[in-house]
Amino acid sequence: MLMTAMLKRVQRWWALAIAVYALDWITKQGVEANLHYGQEIPLLPFFDLTLRYNTGAAFSFLAEAGGWQRWFFSLIAIAVVVGISWRLSKIGHSHKLEALALTLIMAGAIGNLHDRLAYGHVIDFIQVHWQSTWYFPAFNIADSAITIGVVLMLLEGLVQKGPKGKQNDN
């Protein structure tokens, strides 16, 4: 009975996470099928599609660590998914902004976890740059979902605190 109630509380958030994961997977498959590694297709003066692989974490952290990082980051992603699922079962109905933020983070973790387990690297394809001289590291939909989720968590924290760091009970 308790498990059924928990599943019911997280159902809509998991549905959203699966939808974001599906978008991430579909875009990665499309890029892999149509570009060769390193190819760049300019779309805007500051935005290219490209195919890159990242064996590390954000900004290629530990990318050249010899392979153990694949399993390390996979375990972290699994722990994040379990922890967020538990948190969503507690707050999913009452704290919508936090639940949305956590769901986006979880969806991104699942998307990149899939890549690590299936391919041994994360597929990145969004390249932002400035005048072809400064390039931000390539990223993907999963990374974007994580980033948006973190920004929403920060905004939610600001809304909760209110002015001068005082708790806002509204």
Side-chain angles (χ1 to χ4, degrees):
M1 186 92 161
L2 178 64
M3 190 62 134
T4 305
M6 278 182 56
L7 289 173
K8 195 169 193 158
R9 281 187 236 139
V10 299
Q11 186 174 355
R12 84 172 81 163
W13 301 112
W14 263 95
L16 176 59
I18 290 168
V20 173
Y21 161 74
L23 177 64
D24 178 63
W25 183 81
I26 289 166
T27 56
K28 288 174 179 175
Q29 295 307 302
V31 168
E32 276 247 284
N34 293 294
L35 275 74
H36 60 271
Y37 186 83
Q39 181 181 358
E40 295 180 2
I41 299 175
L43 298 178
L44 296 170
F46 58 88
F47 172 72
D48 302 337
L49 281 183
T50 187
L51 177 59
R52 305 271 190 232
Y53 300 139
N54 184 357
T55 57
F59 303 103
S60 296
F61 176 67
L62 294 177
E64 303 297 324
W68 64 266
Q69 72 277 21
R70 172 186 186 184
W71 306 110
F72 176 71
F73 292 130
S74 294
L75 286 173
I76 289 173
I78 291 167
V80 164
V81 170
V82 169
I84 288 175
S85 294
W86 177 84
R87 179 72 178 149
L88 287 172
S89 74
K90 301 293 182 197
I91 59 101
H93 281 81
S94 57
H95 296 86
K96 303 267 194 267
L97 186 57
E98 181 182 355
L100 175 60
L102 289 171
T103 299
L104 291 172
I105 293 168
M106 179 172 66
I110 293 168
N112 287 339
L113 172 65
H114 172 265
D115 286 7
R116 285 185 203 291
L117 295 177
Y119 315 119
H121 57 260
V122 174
I123 299 167
D124 291 325
F125 60 90
I126 301 169
Q127 181 72 64
V128 177
H129 57 86
W130 178 250
Q131 297 181 349
S132 298
T133 57
W134 175 87
Y135 285 82
F136 191 78
F139 57 99
N140 56 44
I141 301 297
D143 298 334
S144 300
I146 292 168
T147 302
I148 293 167
V150 169
V151 168
L152 288 175
M153 291 280 300
L154 292 170
L155 289 173
E156 196 265 345
L158 291 173
V159 168
Q160 287 293 325
K161 293 286 183 186
K164 296 187 182 180
K166 294 182 182 176
Q167 188 69 24
N168 186 357
D169 292 327
N170 293 338

